[in-house]
Amino acid sequence: MTFSSLGLSESILKAVTEQQYTEPYPIQIQAIPVILEGQSVLGIAQTGSGKTASFVLPILELFQRKKSTRNLHLKVLILVPTRELAVQIGDVIAGFSKYLTIPVKHNAVFGGVTLNQQMMTLKNTEILVATPGRLLELVSTQSVNLSKIEVLVLDEADKMLDLNFQEEVNQLFALLPAKRQNILFSATLDTESKLIQEVLLCNPIRIEVEAEEKSTDLIKQTAYRVSPEKKGPLLRYLIKNKEMQQVLIFVSSVRTADNLTDKLKKNGIEAMAIHSKKSQSARTEALNRFKKGKTNVLVATDLASRGIDIQFLPFVINYELPRSPKDYVHRIGRTGRAEASGEAISLIIPEDEHHFKTIQKKMGKIIQMIDSEGFVLSDL
Ligand code: AMP
């Protein structure tokens, strides 16, 4: 199967080749033709499956086809749960729209940066990527008009619900025209949720790619049994011993993220933290430095566990376990992505053991436990 057989124009195929996408992923094979026909889609897929291109490419193709009769108003709204995901999707749109015959103006808006700055850039925007809260603010200042939206994309819908965006999304739905194409992606499908129910009303084509368990197959998972006071030394031992050049470390609080980052730096390991108490510019900078390999270690709260695409990330470490097994899968899913392999390591203190068993049971996988007792950690 090739991208050209999916009905994409030369101008888009050129950008696809430039991004080194040689063959479409399964989700792209399924979603692109359906979206091009104007049908609604309910996609069960997680980050790493290639879902971004599966909606960005056909949306841009629809623009390419309509080139001569376009009015410059907002036509496509892509709602996302986090700022990082908004920026990331904006980048994907920029990459694929480079060679369109008539350029499409797109924009990404999210909280944490001044409203004014974003208001100024919205004129003539045709595709908008937005987080719900910021979008509502922009609507209330009349900087955005949602009444002519033709395509609505809800990305990471389950995360949107976890982050309690239901209320805001409902308010936004009320402002959208009833007749529109809906494209919803979610890693899990909770048909009880109002958000999903609303999309179900339009009889979407359902697309499902690889179950969560399957997608963890490429990831080598290990766990180290460790006492709470030896966690820090063990972490540093693993980073040095396994010569980790790029590792994403998950913790459960902002405070631990900052403390751990300081400790690593004191021990000569290049580390930065990313969490909700950091300014947007600090978050973007940390992520960029990490992606470019200028910082070896990124310490993150669950904010970064979904949606962030870092190509070929070789290591993820759970310094602290997440509460939900679902989050565990999302966290470790940051590695072994796009058909590359990776290693996910969890540090398990005695009080975590029971919870870690629950996670393994939910995943249907037994993870090898290594005792760190015998490791010589003291001089690290
Ligand atoms: P996503 O699930 O959209 O976050 O995509 C995961 C990763 O796969 C991203 O780094 C994409 O650039 C990459 N990707 C998506 N589709 C393809 C493809 N057909 N060929 C190669 N890489 C792809």
Side-chain angles (χ1 to χ4, degrees), residues 11-28:
S11 56
I12 293 177
L13 291 173
K14 188 172 170 192
V16 167
T17 310
E18 196 175 276
Q19 304 284 324
Q20 294 174 341
Y21 284 23
T22 44
E23 264 181 56
Y25 286 172
I27 189 151
Q28 293 153 2

Side-chain angles (χ1 to χ4, degrees), residues 7-282:
L8 301 173
S9 301
E10 276 309 314
S11 56
I12 293 177
L13 291 173
K14 188 172 170 192
V16 167
T17 310
E18 196 175 276
Q19 304 284 324
Q20 294 174 341
Y21 284 23
T22 44
E23 264 181 56
Y25 286 172
I27 189 151
Q28 293 153 2
I29 295 172
Q30 293 184 66
I32 292 174
V34 173
I35 296 174
L36 282 178
E37 278 171 17
Q39 307 227 45
S40 287
V41 166
L42 181 64
I44 316 299
Q46 25 186 327
T47 319
S49 57
K51 68 184 162 66
T52 316
S54 82
F55 62 83
V56 168
L57 290 173
I59 286 173
L60 292 176
E61 176 64 30
L62 292 171
F63 276 94
Q64 171 69 32
R65 291 181 189 179
K66 269 200 238 162
K67 59 190 178 214
S68 55
T69 52
R70 257 166 46 202
N71 290 321
L72 295 181
H73 60 74
L74 188 59
K75 301 175 184 74
V76 176
L77 174 64
I78 302 171
L79 278 182
V80 296
T82 65
R83 304 154 191 196
E84 282 75 14
L85 193 56
V87 172
Q88 198 169 286
I89 294 178
D91 289 345
V92 173
I93 298 173
F96 286 133
S97 61
K98 255 168 119 173
Y99 303 109
L100 291 185
T101 321
I102 296 179
V104 174
K105 184 165 175 196
H106 58 91
N107 235 309
V109 292
F110 37 81
V113 292
T114 57
L115 192 65
N116 269 358
Q117 211 179 329
Q118 290 179 343
M119 278 163 63
M120 314 285 267
T121 61
L122 286 168
K123 196 163 180 264
N124 293 342
T125 294
E126 292 180 277
I127 304 179
L128 185 64
V129 189
T131 53
R134 175 48 56 102
L135 182 59
L136 277 175
E137 284 178 277
L138 289 164
V139 167
S140 71
T141 56
Q142 285 169 358
S143 318
V144 172
N145 177 354
L146 301 178
S147 68
K148 290 188 181 136
I149 293 290
E150 293 164 24
V151 183
L152 169 73
V153 180
L154 286 166
D155 197 13
E156 311 246 339
D158 52 341
K159 183 72 175 175
M160 210 109 73
L161 296 175
D162 286 354
L163 291 173
N164 288 327
F165 281 136
Q166 179 82 57
E167 183 61 41
E168 286 164 339
V169 174
N170 285 348
Q171 287 179 43
L172 289 168
F173 271 23
L175 302 170
L176 298 170
K179 190 171 169 298
R180 57 173 198 258
Q181 183 176 12
N182 291 310
I183 301 167
L184 181 146
F185 282 104
S186 183
T188 49
L189 185 63
D190 170 13
T191 43
E192 297 290 297
S193 106
K194 268 205 202 149
L195 203 70
I196 290 174
Q197 293 249 329
E198 173 127 10
V199 171
L200 286 175
L201 286 180
C202 63
N203 286 327
I205 305 283
R206 200 180 146 135
I207 293 175
E208 192 158 356
V209 290
E210 54 174 1
E212 292 195 350
E213 305 86 73
K214 259 208 226 146
S215 70
T216 60
D217 282 355
L218 284 167
I219 305 166
K220 179 180 173 203
Q221 297 184 58
T222 38
Y224 289 83
R225 214 176 257 123
V226 61
S227 61
E229 61 283 2
K230 284 279 166 63
K231 257 185 158 181
L234 174 63
L235 177 70
R236 299 194 292 276
Y237 171 88
L238 291 172
I239 293 174
K240 291 183 178 168
N241 215 264
K242 287 180 178 272
E243 297 175 359
M244 296 182 185
Q245 294 300 318
Q246 206 186 25
V247 52
L248 180 59
I249 300 177
F250 282 106
V251 294
S252 43
S253 73
V254 168
R255 196 189 309 152
T256 314
D258 285 336
N259 288 346
L260 190 61
T261 307
D262 287 346
K263 205 68 189 270
L264 288 167
K265 286 204 283 205
K266 279 194 190 123
N267 281 274
I269 296 169
E270 269 294 322
M272 288 182 98
I274 184 166
H275 54 62
S276 57
K277 293 283 180 307
K278 293 260 178 201
S279 71
Q280 185 53 37
S281 56

Side-chain angles (χ1 to χ4, degrees), residues 222-238 242 319 345-350 353 368-378 380:
T222 38
Y224 289 83
R225 214 176 257 123
V226 61
S227 61
E229 61 283 2
K230 284 279 166 63
K231 257 185 158 181
L234 174 63
L235 177 70
R236 299 194 292 276
Y237 171 88
L238 291 172
K242 287 180 178 272
Y319 187 78
I345 297 169
S346 298
L347 306 192
I348 308 295
I349 56 172
E353 288 217 16
Q368 192 202 352
M369 283 282 253
I370 300 164
D371 223 313
S372 65
E373 265 298 275
F375 293 8
V376 185
L377 305 173
S378 49
L380 282 155

Side-chain angles (χ1 to χ4, degrees), residues 324-340:
S324 94
K326 208 167 78 184
D327 279 337
Y328 175 87
V329 173
H330 285 293
R331 282 183 179 189
I332 69 165
R334 300 310 92 210
T335 179
R337 313 202 41 214
E339 291 162 12

